[in-house]
Structures are given as structure tokens and as C-alpha cells.
Amino acid sequence: MNVKNYVLAALGAAIIAVLAQVSIPVPPVPFTGQTLAIGLVATILGSRLGTLSVGVYLLIGAVGVPVFANFSGGFAKLVGPTGGYLIGFLPAAYLTGLYLEKTSYTYVQAAVANIIGMFVALIFGTIWLKISGDLSWTAAMAGGMTPFIPLGLVKAALATWLGIYVRNRLMQAKLLLATN
């Protein structure tokens, strides 16, 4: 890892923090721009730097910097009802980037990768919502997964289109290498 990669990962964390503030508060889990940001960052930076970006974002939020949805922060958010989604962002980013690295950075493959990542985050979040809220599987699915699928598909499409576009531009400018 060189300094440029650390800067790219930090910028990825900043993108996640900014888009996290785009939020529609719906109990028990708000609609946020975080999942769009996770897909976007993973599509642009790949598995290693994308996951590092998410890790930096989570670490900054865990120590109390208000980078999570609705300008919140603190370790309690990671163990609260929505903590599973936050933790699920790590494997979502990794698998999104890994899928693209193993296939190709095309719009079709990025769409598949982003849909996989979306479902990974939703599964982690729903499982944790069930556990932390002592909910039935039906209630956890109804509150933590089902309502998020349609908007999640829209966000996956946006992350696909914008992510591939930005990645291609960064590579043309030699600010991002195919090995990142």
C-alpha cells in the first residue's frame, strides 16, 4: 500500500460518511445513502481498498465521530438494532469488489456485484435486527429486509453506473491502477 491508496481509501470513507446523511427515518431501520456509498466505493476501488474504506468509516463512527446516518456515531450504534447493517457493509464491500476483480469491471458485472453486496448487507442487518430486537424471523424480514429491496435495487443500479464511470475516469487519469 502506498500513500495514494491510503488517500483513496480515506476518500472512500468520506464518500460513505457524506452519503450516510441522506436519510429517510423509518423505524426500525432508516432508508439511507450508506448502501449506495458502499456499492459505489467497492465498484470504484475494488475489494481491498473498498473494504479498507468501510473499515475506516466504521472505526471513525465507532469512536464517536458522527458519520453514521443522521449524524450519529459511537460504539452503541454498532451493537444497536441497525448495527448488523453497519457490520455487514464490510463483507458487502469485499464481495462486491472481489466479484468485479474475478470477472470484469463492466456495467453488467458491476450490477451483479452490487446486487450481491446489497443482499449481503441486508442479510447481516436482518439477522442482527432479529437478535437485538428479539423479533421473529417474519418480523425481522418485514422490518429489516423486504421494504429495502426495491430501493436497494435502484441504489445498486446507481452504484453500478456511477462506479464504473468514475473508475474508468480515474484509470484514464492514472489515479487508479487496475491492481488496486
Side-chain angles (χ1 to χ4, degrees), residues 45-179:
L45 299 179
S47 63
R48 192 176 53 140
L49 290 178
T51 304
L52 180 59
S53 295
V54 174
V56 168
Y57 167 73
L58 293 175
L59 184 61
I60 290 169
V63 298
V65 178
V67 295
F68 298 147
N70 299 316
F71 294 102
S72 61
F75 186 75
K77 284 291 183 183
L78 294 178
V79 295
T82 60
Y85 299 96
L86 293 168
I87 298 302
F89 292 160
L90 284 166
Y94 180 75
L95 292 173
T96 299
L98 184 65
Y99 181 91
L100 287 166
E101 292 163 7
K102 297 294 182 186
T103 59
S104 62
Y105 282 88
T106 64
Y107 287 102
V108 170
Q109 296 300 341
V112 171
N114 276 285
I115 290 169
I116 290 169
M118 173 199 73
F119 275 107
V120 167
L122 286 175
I123 289 167
F124 270 75
T126 302
I127 290 170
W128 183 248
L129 185 64
K130 184 219 180 304
I131 293 167
S132 70
D134 195 26
L135 302 174
S136 68
W137 281 111
T138 303
M141 293 290 287
M145 181 174 286
T146 307
F148 298 95
I149 293 173
L151 186 57
L153 292 172
V154 171
K155 290 190 268 186
L158 284 170
T160 293
W161 177 77
L162 191 56
I164 293 296
Y165 178 81
V166 170
R167 180 179 173 80
N168 288 341
R169 293 292 186 181
L170 289 172
M171 290 182 73
Q172 286 174 349
K174 298 192 182 357
L175 295 172
L176 186 65
L177 302 175
T179 59

